[in-house]
Amino acid sequence: MMSSGDDQRSQAFAKPAFSEAQACALVESEFGFQVSEIQPLPSYDDQNFRVRVSRTGDAAGGPTEYVLKISNTESSKTPDLIEVQSHVAMFLHEAGFPTASVCRPKGGGVTSLVSVGKGPPTSPAPPVRAQGWVLVPSGSIKNRLSGPAGEFHHPKLRCLRRENFIWNLKNVPLLEKYLDALGQDRNRELVEQVIRLFKDEVTAKLSHFRECVNHGDLNDHNILVEPSESASGDAVFRVSGILDFEDMSYGCYVFEVAIAIMYMMIESRDPLGVGGHVLAGFESVIPLTPAERDALFLLVCGRFCQSLVMAAHSCRLHPENAEYLMITAKTGWKHLQQMFAVGREAVEEIWFGTAKSYESGVSL
């Protein structure tokens, strides 16, 4: 869902615009599949298609539905990053986690670099990378999402140290150069306040947080669930798929917690209360340290600001995609304002109290 480019301005003309016919031709030439149906999917700065293929002969037993992902031209300039992201997803899939598996192009590797159409008279057509993904039915998943998967090794793993990546939560202060997208109003003042507090109270303490590789975008569009049944017969849901590894970067464990809380607030009927339940889930595996807990409120506020500011900025670049880009903004500003109105101490009391209640087996 979120952008993978470090410089959003450069993506004004970078988003792919393949027609369905071009996408079909791409699937057939690069992957060797006969397309029977294709459907565009919403996206932030790449282009996605849901593809149904015909299976005959020896291939009759294989998957029939795929997602074709066409990376924008800026992302296509960093093939090492795309390769690492793909290999992480493959690693987790093989460990039993509900992630999509990679369908390799005919030429091998995990992506295919292609140029389609004509660019300006003095320049070549911009290259893009095509990647196929297939979602495996969740019934084959045996491990919990939060379970250990072992250590991931890759010779190009260093490329995940994306120092100026706008979506890394440590880079909230970089939002200052995009504030013009907000105009002059209460929302801008609120973002400026968050940035000031973030610089004073979070940036200086980053060295106290535990490092890890972050997925970076655990929002409700990137987490698939399916109905299940509890031992008591009550209807419950379980995670059946984790999508979109494009915002991966080196960060901190607490970043992932804050990002998940922020996005669950967007969809919850109890936005202030839901954070405690999300926190309890993370802490059932790895509890936060006192320093990480102390920063959680401002980290959640920082993620709200990242999403809201960059959505406004991207709408300037791609007004035709405004409906999708502004999904978070529909309620995001209200939630951010409410967090400050209620106050940090009161919000933390709700979150930490709810998380603590799980220790006794009775959640609030």
Side-chain angles (χ1 to χ4, degrees):
M1 177 179 173
M2 297 300 179
S3 167
S4 65
D6 292 354
D7 183 352
Q8 293 287 322
R9 287 189 178 91
S10 67
Q11 300 210 19
F13 305 102
K15 185 172 181 174
F18 280 54
S19 66
E20 292 183 16
Q22 288 176 312
C24 283
L26 193 62
V27 171
E28 293 172 2
S29 64
E30 300 301 318
F31 297 93
F33 296 149
Q34 183 65 42
V35 177
S36 60
E37 183 181 344
I38 191 165
Q39 176 186 359
L41 295 173
S43 63
Y44 199 90
D45 56 7
D46 296 319
Q47 192 175 19
N48 302 318
F49 291 90
R50 178 182 178 181
V51 181
R52 182 181 290 274
V53 302
S54 300
R55 289 289 193 176
T56 58
D58 295 338
T64 58
E65 287 195 339
Y66 295 82
V67 172
L68 172 67
K69 179 180 181 66
I70 305 174
S71 298
N72 62 71
T73 53
E74 289 300 312
S75 296
S76 295
K77 294 175 182 177
T78 55
D80 288 353
L81 182 59
I82 297 176
E83 179 181 336
V84 170
Q85 292 164 349
S86 299
H87 279 281
V88 168
M90 293 162 62
F91 169 76
L92 292 174
H93 178 78
E94 290 169 3
F97 286 68
T99 61
S101 62
V102 175
C103 177
R104 295 178 181 271
K106 291 191 299 183
V110 294
T111 64
S112 180
L113 183 64
V114 296
S115 293
V116 177
K118 297 181 179 179
T122 58
S123 66
V128 295
R129 290 192 176 269
Q131 189 167 11
W133 297 80
V134 55
L135 291 178
V136 176
S138 61
S140 65
I141 303 305
K142 298 178 181 178
N143 295 14
R144 295 185 306 157
L145 176 63
S146 57
E151 293 188 18
F152 174 78
H153 299 281
H154 193 282
K156 300 172 182 176
L157 194 59
R158 64 186 180 278
C159 69
L160 292 179
R161 294 195 178 277
R162 307 162 71 179
E163 292 305 314
N164 294 316
F165 183 44
I166 194 64
W167 293 105
N168 190 308
L169 200 42
K170 73 176 182 180
N171 288 331
V172 166
L174 296 183
L175 293 174
E176 289 178 328
K177 62 182 178 180
Y178 300 106
L179 291 181
D180 286 347
L182 300 180
Q184 299 289 338
D185 57 16
R186 169 57 184 150
N187 288 338
R188 176 167 178 158
E189 292 175 1
L190 186 56
V191 172
E192 290 173 338
Q193 181 181 0
V194 171
I195 293 174
R196 285 195 302 271
L197 290 169
F198 197 97
K199 287 179 178 180
D200 293 341
E201 301 185 33
V202 177
T203 302
K205 299 178 182 178
L206 289 173
S207 61
H208 298 289
F209 304 155
R210 289 165 294 180
E211 264 203 341
C212 70
V213 173
N214 291 144
H215 174 280
D217 197 14
L218 287 178
N219 66 71
D220 55 296
H221 287 258
N222 290 337
I223 303 174
L224 306 180
V225 298
E226 69 171 10
S228 184
E229 191 172 289
S230 67
S232 63
D234 296 331
V236 296
F237 292 85
R238 65 172 181 173
V239 174
S240 60
I242 300 295
L243 310 178
D244 195 355
F245 288 78
E246 198 168 334
D247 282 354
M248 286 182 61
S249 65
Y250 269 103
C252 301
Y253 173 64
V254 68
F255 291 179
E256 206 77 275
V257 183
I259 291 168
I261 288 176
M262 175 261 168
Y263 284 117
M264 293 308 106
M265 287 180 67
I266 293 294
E267 294 298 321
S268 177
R269 287 174 292 185
D270 179 20
L272 287 184
V274 74
H277 300 285
V278 176
L279 175 61
F282 277 92
E283 292 204 311
S284 69
V285 182
I286 304 176
L288 296 186
T289 66
E292 290 166 342
R293 278 192 161 216
D294 188 55
L296 189 58
F297 177 86
L298 285 177
L299 287 170
V300 173
C301 292
R303 183 56 172 201
F304 267 115
C305 292
Q306 285 179 318
S307 183
L308 294 165
V309 171
M310 296 315 297
H313 172 71
S314 295
C315 276
R316 284 183 163 187
L317 304 181
H318 303 290
E320 75 285 353
N321 202 26
E323 182 178 356
Y324 182 74
L325 293 170
M326 298 302 286
I327 289 174
T328 299
K330 290 178 181 178
T331 57
W333 287 114
K334 179 181 69 175
H335 294 329
L336 181 59
Q337 292 162 0
Q338 185 183 23
M339 287 180 69
F340 272 82
V342 171
R344 176 175 178 170
E345 184 176 342
V347 172
E348 289 179 338
E349 185 176 347
I350 295 170
W351 289 350
F352 300 153
T354 299
K356 186 174 179 60
S357 72
Y358 277 84
E359 297 176 8
S360 61
V362 180
S363 60
L364 297 178

